[in-house]
Amino acid sequence: MRVYLDHNATTTVRPAVISAMTEALTLTGNPSSVHSEGRAKRGMIEAARRSIAVLVGADADCITFTSGGTEASNLALSPSIKDASDPRPVTRLIVSAIEHPAVMRGWRFSRSEIESVPVDSQGVVNLGAVEWFFARHREERPGERMMMALMLANNETGVIQPVAEATAIAKRYGGLVHVDAVQAAGKIPVDIAELGCDFIAISAHKFGGPAGVGALIRAHDALLVEDVVLRGGGQERGWRSGTENAPGIIGMGVAAEAAGRDLEAFARLAEQRDRLEAGVKALGPVTIFGAEAPRLPNTSCFADPRVSSSSAMIGLDLAGVSVSSGSACSSGKAKASPVLDAMGVTHDLSSGMLRASFGWSSGPNDAETFLAAWSDIVKRIVSQANAA
Ligand code: PLP
């Protein structure tokens, strides 16, 4: 039996989600139609919206379904965002240096208006720098607003950001805040009011729903966007046109309920994560990235300088264990993780980066299975190095 430790990439779809989606696929009716079939479908979508609202402490009317976390963040990151209570234009964006690519490039902001906020060696955003950027913006452009994008939990290290503190700073300067909560929702408690931000993005496939469905959630109804990403029939209150993906949305709703119920069990995954980390440390000079910061309970990101990500990944895969590495090989050339780069990790060390992420379907001994395979790989690599 394989051991899947890549739940941050995508997690197992929950059986209750599969049942609900299968049932939904048998139903006809466009949710915008006024006949019985249409109204029944509409009712199911609205029930899903309420379940998701509960998961993140939001008002159901402030939820826009999207095709996932990427689209949700693209939708929020726009200079055309308007807040009825503050008519000043939003002209600049700051993003933390560890954002997911869905956020990092700021997309609809011009490149010259996007700046990066540094993180410390643990991968935690520098709040002093957040304050500095907002203060400078107010001084230079008092008639304009600035937006900040800060993720709640990092996908690679699992490090949880001080979003409420950063948002409090942004709000003192009249800023807008978008939070990519894709890795946090359904894993740790998320409450949009406690975060104090304007938007959060979430994605169903990270908490047991299907891929290809997510949501952008607004803190209140006074937030508006002029240049929506998808224009057409005006569904989702004009925020996202196109016939709703009803089976996906219904599946996301069921996943949100289950993930909300399972938060305590999810928190206990930290015990396995800690056993895994103790085990890899016992086998060599391993660095655990972000170990001193608050982290998601399920995520471990580490490197042993003697072991490259690629050889570890191949060895683990052959042994039946799936993990991920920070390296992207789009051009056939391994690239260092920009997240670890931002944390000041040397390329020598980050080229060995591995991420093991547990999930709701992890077995109780997955850490031990991983460690048995890891121990073989380390022994082989060390003996090869000694023989050379
Ligand atoms: N943001 C973060 C932090 C993620 O980890 C991911 C997915 O890996 C995304 C955004 C993108 O979400 P989606 O795959 O739903 O587009």
PDB file of all heavy atoms in Angstrom, residues 8-9 67-71 100 102 151 153 155 180 182-183 203 205-206 213, ligand 1:
ATOM      1  N   ASN A   8      -0.834  18.644   0.870  1.00  0.00           N
ATOM      2  CA  ASN A   8      -0.904  20.087   0.582  1.00  0.00           C
ATOM      3  C   ASN A   8      -1.054  20.338  -0.918  1.00  0.00           C
ATOM      4  O   ASN A   8      -1.554  21.390  -1.323  1.00  0.00           O
ATOM      5  CB  ASN A   8       0.340  20.819   1.097  1.00  0.00           C
ATOM      6  CG  ASN A   8       0.286  21.047   2.595  1.00  0.00           C
ATOM      7  OD1 ASN A   8      -0.582  20.498   3.279  1.00  0.00           O
ATOM      8  ND2 ASN A   8       1.202  21.840   3.122  1.00  0.00           N
ATOM      9  N   ALA A   9      -0.594  19.382  -1.734  1.00  0.00           N
ATOM     10  CA  ALA A   9      -0.780  19.537  -3.186  1.00  0.00           C
ATOM     11  C   ALA A   9      -2.252  19.328  -3.513  1.00  0.00           C
ATOM     12  O   ALA A   9      -2.870  20.138  -4.211  1.00  0.00           O
ATOM     13  CB  ALA A   9       0.094  18.544  -3.940  1.00  0.00           C
ATOM     14  N   SER A  67     -13.398  28.955  -9.816  1.00  0.00           N
ATOM     15  CA  SER A  67     -12.855  27.663 -10.262  1.00  0.00           C
ATOM     16  C   SER A  67     -11.724  27.184  -9.352  1.00  0.00           C
ATOM     17  O   SER A  67     -11.071  26.202  -9.664  1.00  0.00           O
ATOM     18  CB  SER A  67     -12.332  27.792 -11.688  1.00  0.00           C
ATOM     19  OG  SER A  67     -11.256  28.715 -11.708  1.00  0.00           O
ATOM     20  N   GLY A  68     -11.469  27.884  -8.266  1.00  0.00           N
ATOM     21  CA  GLY A  68     -10.426  27.442  -7.341  1.00  0.00           C
ATOM     22  C   GLY A  68      -9.756  28.613  -6.657  1.00  0.00           C
ATOM     23  O   GLY A  68     -10.197  29.768  -6.781  1.00  0.00           O
ATOM     24  N   GLY A  69      -8.675  28.298  -5.941  1.00  0.00           N
ATOM     25  CA  GLY A  69      -7.953  29.327  -5.209  1.00  0.00           C
ATOM     26  C   GLY A  69      -7.281  30.332  -6.134  1.00  0.00           C
ATOM     27  O   GLY A  69      -7.218  31.530  -5.843  1.00  0.00           O
ATOM     28  N   THR A  70      -6.794  29.856  -7.261  1.00  0.00           N
ATOM     29  CA  THR A  70      -6.094  30.744  -8.197  1.00  0.00           C
ATOM     30  C   THR A  70      -7.045  31.820  -8.706  1.00  0.00           C
ATOM     31  O   THR A  70      -6.730  33.022  -8.656  1.00  0.00           O
ATOM     32  CB  THR A  70      -5.536  29.919  -9.383  1.00  0.00           C
ATOM     33  OG1 THR A  70      -4.647  28.935  -8.855  1.00  0.00           O
ATOM     34  CG2 THR A  70      -4.817  30.794 -10.385  1.00  0.00           C
ATOM     35  N   GLU A  71      -8.210  31.412  -9.157  1.00  0.00           N
ATOM     36  CA  GLU A  71      -9.160  32.398  -9.684  1.00  0.00           C
ATOM     37  C   GLU A  71      -9.645  33.328  -8.566  1.00  0.00           C
ATOM     38  O   GLU A  71      -9.815  34.540  -8.791  1.00  0.00           O
ATOM     39  CB  GLU A  71     -10.355  31.701 -10.344  1.00  0.00           C
ATOM     40  CG  GLU A  71     -11.240  32.703 -11.068  1.00  0.00           C
ATOM     41  CD  GLU A  71     -12.587  32.120 -11.492  1.00  0.00           C
ATOM     42  OE1 GLU A  71     -12.675  30.942 -11.844  1.00  0.00           O
ATOM     43  OE2 GLU A  71     -13.566  32.891 -11.435  1.00  0.00           O
ATOM     44  N   HIS A 100       2.047  32.330  -2.929  1.00  0.00           N
ATOM     45  CA  HIS A 100       1.858  31.361  -4.013  1.00  0.00           C
ATOM     46  C   HIS A 100       1.870  32.138  -5.337  1.00  0.00           C
ATOM     47  O   HIS A 100       1.458  33.303  -5.369  1.00  0.00           O
ATOM     48  CB  HIS A 100       0.503  30.674  -3.792  1.00  0.00           C
ATOM     49  CG  HIS A 100       0.237  29.540  -4.719  1.00  0.00           C
ATOM     50  ND1 HIS A 100      -0.323  29.718  -5.958  1.00  0.00           N
ATOM     51  CD2 HIS A 100       0.453  28.200  -4.591  1.00  0.00           C
ATOM     52  CE1 HIS A 100      -0.450  28.533  -6.553  1.00  0.00           C
ATOM     53  NE2 HIS A 100       0.008  27.596  -5.743  1.00  0.00           N
ATOM     54  N   ALA A 102      -0.153  32.241  -7.579  1.00  0.00           N
ATOM     55  CA  ALA A 102      -1.496  32.779  -7.885  1.00  0.00           C
ATOM     56  C   ALA A 102      -1.641  34.212  -7.401  1.00  0.00           C
ATOM     57  O   ALA A 102      -2.475  34.975  -7.894  1.00  0.00           O
ATOM     58  CB  ALA A 102      -2.569  31.903  -7.235  1.00  0.00           C
ATOM     59  N   MET A 151      -0.614  35.566   2.777  1.00  0.00           N
ATOM     60  CA  MET A 151      -1.247  34.246   2.921  1.00  0.00           C
ATOM     61  C   MET A 151      -1.384  33.880   4.399  1.00  0.00           C
ATOM     62  O   MET A 151      -0.635  34.374   5.248  1.00  0.00           O
ATOM     63  CB  MET A 151      -0.440  33.186   2.175  1.00  0.00           C
ATOM     64  CG  MET A 151       0.903  32.918   2.769  1.00  0.00           C
ATOM     65  SD  MET A 151       2.071  32.011   1.693  1.00  0.00           S
ATOM     66  CE  MET A 151       1.096  31.072   0.588  1.00  0.00           C
ATOM     67  N   ALA A 153      -1.386  30.493   5.589  1.00  0.00           N
ATOM     68  CA  ALA A 153      -0.414  29.423   5.858  1.00  0.00           C
ATOM     69  C   ALA A 153       0.332  29.132   4.569  1.00  0.00           C
ATOM     70  O   ALA A 153      -0.282  29.059   3.502  1.00  0.00           O
ATOM     71  CB  ALA A 153      -1.114  28.169   6.355  1.00  0.00           C
ATOM     72  N   ASN A 155       2.189  27.121   1.728  1.00  0.00           N
ATOM     73  CA  ASN A 155       2.022  25.782   1.177  1.00  0.00           C
ATOM     74  C   ASN A 155       3.265  24.910   1.317  1.00  0.00           C
ATOM     75  O   ASN A 155       3.169  23.705   1.464  1.00  0.00           O
ATOM     76  CB  ASN A 155       1.604  25.865  -0.304  1.00  0.00           C
ATOM     77  CG  ASN A 155       2.359  26.923  -1.074  1.00  0.00           C
ATOM     78  OD1 ASN A 155       2.413  28.083  -0.676  1.00  0.00           O
ATOM     79  ND2 ASN A 155       2.971  26.530  -2.171  1.00  0.00           N
ATOM     80  N   ASP A 180      -4.762  34.793   1.155  1.00  0.00           N
ATOM     81  CA  ASP A 180      -4.842  33.488   0.509  1.00  0.00           C
ATOM     82  C   ASP A 180      -4.870  32.462   1.648  1.00  0.00           C
ATOM     83  O   ASP A 180      -3.846  32.169   2.268  1.00  0.00           O
ATOM     84  CB  ASP A 180      -3.611  33.305  -0.391  1.00  0.00           C
ATOM     85  CG  ASP A 180      -3.525  31.918  -0.997  1.00  0.00           C
ATOM     86  OD1 ASP A 180      -4.302  31.035  -0.589  1.00  0.00           O
ATOM     87  OD2 ASP A 180      -2.663  31.713  -1.870  1.00  0.00           O
ATOM     88  N   VAL A 182      -5.891  29.354   1.236  1.00  0.00           N
ATOM     89  CA  VAL A 182      -6.087  28.063   0.565  1.00  0.00           C
ATOM     90  C   VAL A 182      -5.509  26.906   1.386  1.00  0.00           C
ATOM     91  O   VAL A 182      -6.107  25.845   1.475  1.00  0.00           O
ATOM     92  CB  VAL A 182      -5.470  28.124  -0.855  1.00  0.00           C
ATOM     93  CG1 VAL A 182      -5.296  26.738  -1.458  1.00  0.00           C
ATOM     94  CG2 VAL A 182      -6.338  28.990  -1.759  1.00  0.00           C
ATOM     95  N   GLN A 183      -4.340  27.111   2.002  1.00  0.00           N
ATOM     96  CA  GLN A 183      -3.741  26.012   2.770  1.00  0.00           C
ATOM     97  C   GLN A 183      -4.239  25.967   4.210  1.00  0.00           C
ATOM     98  O   GLN A 183      -3.958  25.008   4.927  1.00  0.00           O
ATOM     99  CB  GLN A 183      -2.212  26.133   2.770  1.00  0.00           C
ATOM    100  CG  GLN A 183      -1.581  25.813   1.428  1.00  0.00           C
ATOM    101  CD  GLN A 183      -1.715  24.344   1.014  1.00  0.00           C
ATOM    102  OE1 GLN A 183      -2.029  23.467   1.831  1.00  0.00           O
ATOM    103  NE2 GLN A 183      -1.488  24.074  -0.253  1.00  0.00           N
ATOM    104  N   SER A 203      -9.940  26.960  -1.387  1.00  0.00           N
ATOM    105  CA  SER A 203     -10.014  26.001  -2.492  1.00  0.00           C
ATOM    106  C   SER A 203     -10.446  24.642  -1.957  1.00  0.00           C
ATOM    107  O   SER A 203      -9.868  24.131  -0.995  1.00  0.00           O
ATOM    108  CB  SER A 203      -8.630  25.900  -3.133  1.00  0.00           C
ATOM    109  OG  SER A 203      -8.647  24.955  -4.159  1.00  0.00           O
ATOM    110  N   HIS A 205     -10.208  21.521  -3.037  1.00  0.00           N
ATOM    111  CA  HIS A 205      -9.414  20.280  -3.097  1.00  0.00           C
ATOM    112  C   HIS A 205      -8.344  20.207  -2.025  1.00  0.00           C
ATOM    113  O   HIS A 205      -7.674  19.194  -1.884  1.00  0.00           O
ATOM    114  CB  HIS A 205      -8.836  20.064  -4.501  1.00  0.00           C
ATOM    115  CG  HIS A 205      -7.696  20.953  -4.897  1.00  0.00           C
ATOM    116  ND1 HIS A 205      -6.425  20.484  -5.087  1.00  0.00           N
ATOM    117  CD2 HIS A 205      -7.639  22.282  -5.166  1.00  0.00           C
ATOM    118  CE1 HIS A 205      -5.635  21.480  -5.471  1.00  0.00           C
ATOM    119  NE2 HIS A 205      -6.344  22.578  -5.532  1.00  0.00           N
ATOM    120  N   LYS A 206      -8.205  21.269  -1.237  1.00  0.00           N
ATOM    121  CA  LYS A 206      -7.228  21.217  -0.146  1.00  0.00           C
ATOM    122  C   LYS A 206      -7.873  20.702   1.146  1.00  0.00           C
ATOM    123  O   LYS A 206      -7.186  20.439   2.116  1.00  0.00           O
ATOM    124  CB  LYS A 206      -6.629  22.607   0.118  1.00  0.00           C
ATOM    125  CG  LYS A 206      -6.033  23.276  -1.111  1.00  0.00           C
ATOM    126  CD  LYS A 206      -4.806  22.579  -1.651  1.00  0.00           C
ATOM    127  CE  LYS A 206      -4.206  23.402  -2.794  1.00  0.00           C
ATOM    128  NZ  LYS A 206      -3.028  22.804  -3.368  1.00  0.00           N
ATOM    129  N   VAL A 213     -12.837  23.954  -7.901  1.00  0.00           N
ATOM    130  CA  VAL A 213     -13.865  24.800  -7.281  1.00  0.00           C
ATOM    131  C   VAL A 213     -13.273  25.437  -6.021  1.00  0.00           C
ATOM    132  O   VAL A 213     -12.523  24.815  -5.282  1.00  0.00           O
ATOM    133  CB  VAL A 213     -15.182  24.023  -7.003  1.00  0.00           C
ATOM    134  CG1 VAL A 213     -14.974  22.807  -6.147  1.00  0.00           C
ATOM    135  CG2 VAL A 213     -16.262  24.926  -6.407  1.00  0.00           C
TER     136      VAL A 213
HETATM  137  N1  PLP B   1      -2.660  29.332  -2.902  1.00  0.00           N
HETATM  138  C1  PLP B   1      -1.979  28.390  -2.239  1.00  0.00           C
HETATM  139  C2  PLP B   1      -1.278  28.748  -0.974  1.00  0.00           C
HETATM  140  C3  PLP B   1      -1.928  27.087  -2.727  1.00  0.00           C
HETATM  141  O1  PLP B   1      -1.231  26.155  -2.080  1.00  0.00           O
HETATM  142  C4  PLP B   1      -2.612  26.785  -3.947  1.00  0.00           C
HETATM  143  C5  PLP B   1      -2.553  25.427  -4.529  1.00  0.00           C
HETATM  144  O2  PLP B   1      -1.559  24.739  -4.423  1.00  0.00           O
HETATM  145  C6  PLP B   1      -3.319  27.809  -4.586  1.00  0.00           C
HETATM  146  C7  PLP B   1      -3.323  29.064  -4.029  1.00  0.00           C
HETATM  147  C8  PLP B   1      -4.059  27.555  -5.852  1.00  0.00           C
HETATM  148  O3  PLP B   1      -5.294  26.934  -5.602  1.00  0.00           O
HETATM  149  P1  PLP B   1      -6.058  26.166  -6.772  1.00  0.00           P
HETATM  150  O4  PLP B   1      -5.268  24.929  -7.051  1.00  0.00           O
HETATM  151  O5  PLP B   1      -7.409  25.848  -6.231  1.00  0.00           O
HETATM  152  O6  PLP B   1      -6.141  27.083  -7.927  1.00  0.00           O
END
